[in-house]
Amino acid sequence: LKNGKDPFKLTSIDELGSHIHLIPAEVRGFFMTHRTRVQWVLLFIFLALPWISIQGQPLLLLNIPQREFIFFGMLFKAHDAPLIFLLLASFALGLAFVTAIWGRVWCGWACPQTVFIEAVYRRIEILTEGSYLQRRRLQTGPLSFGDVGRKLLKWILFVTVSSVFAHSFIAYFVGSKKLLVMMQNPPGENWTYFVMVLFFTGLLLFNFAWFREQFCVIMCPYGRIQSVLLDASSLAVTYDAERGEPRKGSPLAGKSQGDCVSCQRCVEVCPTGIDIRNGLQMECIACTACIDACDEIMTKLKKPTGLISYKTLNGEPLRIVKFKTLAHGALILLLVGVLFYNLRTREPLNIAILRAIETPYVVSKDEKGASQILNHFRIHMTNQTRLDSYYSIRLLPTETEQGFQLTMAQNPVLLKANNTETSHLFIRVPQEKFPSSGQIQLKIEISDSENKIFERELTLIGPST
Ligand code: SF4
Ligand code: SF4
């Protein structure tokens, strides 16, 4: 036990494993002001992103049924999976890089779990049920008629904002225009998405209104690997024990009492319910609330602020250049370099030609009775640009001179920006041109509206002798 408490026991779970609903005290201060601004900007970005388009293409669209992703107007399909991997790996390493220097700044400032709870759900609670003291009374004391009304209003607002966020979330997967159309039609016409919106509304409600800090404390994988990501020179929210101890009321506090007056304000404001004076803990999401709370107390006591502060774990100046950050930085540069190289050299047209699966070839007669071998292919073309384009498909002149013919139901093919079309392609070859091996290699040319030419090789098969 430390100061009468078990520092290893989770503050938000009781002896039987049930959730203790924490009600942290409100706090004002330098960090709170700046965090609130960042949270509003992030919320705005989350709500606005699905509505932004570049040249008619959404800025961000994750079309999972079609296995398509549009990122800053660029289309990525299933064949671009390596690029998506590079993007995600860069992001994960970027997070590790930031953590090695600035600690859990992601958790306290930008994680959706913190942003939604602090900027929206906690504010609704304060708006409807009052200060933390009033809410704590509501949690334990008997409820009056007015209290029930306040709770009801709180839950109505919770459901409303959860529904708005769920719709906004779904817009990332279906696009804002389609979402608007679906919202204007009866649910029966879009059952799948209607059920998904209901599911996400329920999930957000459960997570942000009830589960809250439990996610950070017992579920978040990022929180669990902090001991690997942080080192002694990383920034963290720390208590200056040298200055604060022996704290007021401690049996050790005599004439040489430290600056901590044991007001418990730092514990009262903590959203995960921990006491930072026990040292760095896995539950600390670096929200900085305890810094503002303690600074407020120190200011009232006319003592220097910073008894709890953002500083490195070893107390030395912040070091950005160290082995860990150099290693992360080099890997990030490598991944981002490969990603940009691939994006720059990516062809504006993706072409996949597959042999039709029925008969490998067909022998037919032309109008003069000469035998011909017919090969059937499927050509999938994806216009990876932001402009619509026509694509003409033809054989090389040397092939047509030998009597080879290419036939398609429609040629040229019109492809809208970021769209895929599949067409049937037939190639007819006089049988006497077929070598004894029964195989012919040939090339086809595909030119777009700007006369950019793409070449692809095909293997024709026929009877071998
Ligand atoms: S807020 Fe500051 S003074 Fe009060 S208990 Fe926490 S560390 Fe001590
Ligand atoms: S200890 Fe301080 S920084 Fe950490 S979660 Fe609690 S209030 Fe936030």
Side-chain angles (χ1 to χ4, degrees):
L1 294 183
K2 198 167 181 183
N3 304 315
K5 282 186 180 172
D6 179 357
F8 299 109
K9 183 187 162 298
L10 287 178
T11 43
S12 54
I13 295 177
D14 68 14
E15 281 71 17
L16 299 173
S18 300
H19 180 193
I20 301 170
H21 193 79
L22 298 175
I23 301 180
E26 293 83 60
V27 64
R28 284 201 185 89
F30 174 84
F31 287 106
M32 192 63 192
T33 308
H34 287 87
R35 274 179 73 226
T36 307
R37 286 179 189 153
V38 171
Q39 286 165 359
W40 284 118
V41 171
L42 292 175
L43 267 180
F44 175 77
I45 293 173
F46 167 73
L47 293 170
L49 263 186
W51 302 90
I52 302 173
S53 308
I54 300 177
Q55 293 174 347
Q57 296 298 319
L59 191 69
L60 188 64
L61 181 72
L62 313 170
N63 190 342
I64 290 173
Q66 301 286 331
R67 284 177 290 159
E68 282 180 5
F69 302 96
I70 297 179
F71 192 64
F72 284 87
M74 289 180 76
L75 176 73
F76 295 92
K77 305 226 20 137
H79 61 257
D80 291 315
L83 298 186
I84 295 165
F85 165 78
L86 287 173
L87 192 72
L88 294 178
S90 309
F91 178 74
L93 274 169
L95 199 55
F97 178 84
V98 168
T99 311
I101 302 170
W102 294 284
R104 294 181 72 169
V105 70
W106 162 262
C107 299
W109 293 70
C111 174
Q113 189 74 7
T114 311
V115 172
F116 281 103
I117 292 175
E118 297 300 335
V120 183
Y121 290 80
R122 194 102 68 202
R123 278 171 198 277
I124 290 177
E125 239 165 37
I126 296 170
L127 192 76
T128 52
E129 296 182 341
S131 70
Y132 75 102
L133 291 173
Q134 288 167 304
R135 282 180 284 140
R136 284 181 190 177
R137 184 190 61 76
L138 279 181
Q139 194 181 38
T140 50
L143 297 183
S144 68
F145 191 66
D147 294 339
V148 174
R150 274 191 282 276
K151 276 196 175 290
L152 193 64
L153 178 61
K154 177 184 85 172
W155 282 99
I156 290 171
L157 290 174
F158 275 175
V159 172
T160 309
V161 293
S162 300
S163 170
V164 170
F165 293 147
H167 278 85
S168 194
F169 184 63
I170 291 290
Y172 281 87
F173 298 92
V174 299
S176 50
K177 286 183 196 150
K178 195 171 168 191
L179 178 76
L180 277 183
V181 173
M182 287 194 295
M183 284 168 69
Q184 287 159 14
N185 289 324
E189 289 186 17
N190 302 287
W191 268 118
T192 315
Y193 289 109
F194 180 69
V195 171
M196 276 171 73
V197 167
L198 283 185
F199 171 76
F200 283 115
T201 303
L203 190 68
L204 295 178
L205 204 56
F206 165 79
N207 186 30
F208 297 138
W210 187 80
F211 200 51
R212 294 196 172 175
E213 76 292 333
Q214 297 287 89
F215 182 86
C216 314
V217 172
I218 60 176
M219 280 182 73
C220 177
Y222 174 65
R224 302 260 142 197
I225 56 168
Q226 287 308 306
S227 51
V228 183
L229 300 178
L230 290 170
D231 58 55
S233 59
S234 307
L235 269 191
V237 175
T238 48
Y239 166 68
D240 186 348
E242 228 168 85
R243 181 184 146 194
E245 301 296 320
R247 67 187 73 161
K248 186 179 176 187
S250 144
L252 299 173
K255 283 179 190 163
S256 63
Q257 187 191 301
D259 278 355
C260 174
V261 292
S262 297
C263 64
Q264 295 295 104
R265 181 83 178 128
C266 53
V267 183
E268 292 273 288
V269 298
C270 180
T272 58
I274 58 168
D275 187 342
I276 194 67
R277 293 172 300 170
N278 291 332
L280 184 66
Q281 292 147 75
M282 196 274 291
E283 298 96 312
C284 176
I285 56 167
C287 73
T288 64
C290 56
I291 301 182
D292 282 336
C294 190
D295 281 353
E296 200 182 356
I297 300 294
M298 290 297 121
T299 309
K300 280 184 189 159
L301 295 173
K302 299 198 173 21
K303 289 186 175 177
T305 56
L307 180 56
I308 300 175
S309 64
Y310 239 143
K311 62 179 185 212
T312 56
L313 293 166
N314 58 12
E316 288 173 10
L318 180 65
R319 262 176 58 215
I320 293 182
V321 181
K322 49 190 171 183
F323 175 75
K324 205 180 251 185
T325 49
L326 286 177
H328 288 153
L331 272 174
I332 293 168
L333 280 179
L334 180 71
L335 291 180
V336 172
V338 175
L339 178 64
F340 274 93
Y341 173 78
N342 277 287
L343 288 177
R344 275 194 70 82
T345 54
R346 195 164 90 125
E347 283 196 315
L349 177 68
N350 182 271
I351 308 159
I353 304 175
L354 302 172
R355 182 174 292 285
I357 45 176
E358 327 74 68
T359 44
Y361 62 87
V362 173
V363 183
S364 64
K365 301 269 183 206
D366 67 7
E367 57 279 2
K368 292 178 191 156
S371 292
Q372 292 193 320
I373 307 296
L374 183 76
N375 276 236
H376 176 195
F377 299 91
R378 280 201 191 91
I379 177 164
H380 306 273
M381 293 189 292
T382 305
N383 176 0
Q384 303 191 126
T385 69
R386 293 178 192 155
L387 298 172
D388 301 352
S389 178
Y390 277 101
Y391 295 96
S392 307
I393 300 142
R394 56 182 172 268
L395 295 169
L396 299 185
T398 49
E399 293 157 355
T400 46
E401 279 163 15
Q402 294 180 62
F404 293 13
Q405 290 168 33
L406 183 150
T407 316
M408 290 177 71
Q410 203 177 15
N411 194 6
V413 178
L414 171 63
L415 265 182
K416 293 204 169 292
N418 284 345
N419 260 290
T420 299
E421 281 287 342
T422 300
S423 311
H424 292 274
L425 185 156
F426 300 91
I427 298 180
R428 207 181 292 269
V429 176
Q431 188 166 6
E432 79 262 16
K433 299 282 177 192
F434 249 92
S436 55
S437 64
Q439 285 198 353
I440 296 179
Q441 301 287 338
L442 57 70
K443 278 186 183 164
I444 60 167
E445 267 184 2
I446 302 162
S447 57
D448 65 12
S449 299
E450 290 172 358
N451 254 336
K452 187 169 172 31
I453 293 177
F454 310 89
E455 278 190 353
R456 289 294 180 271
E457 275 199 0
L458 287 181
T459 303
L460 302 185
I461 50 175
S464 58
T465 52

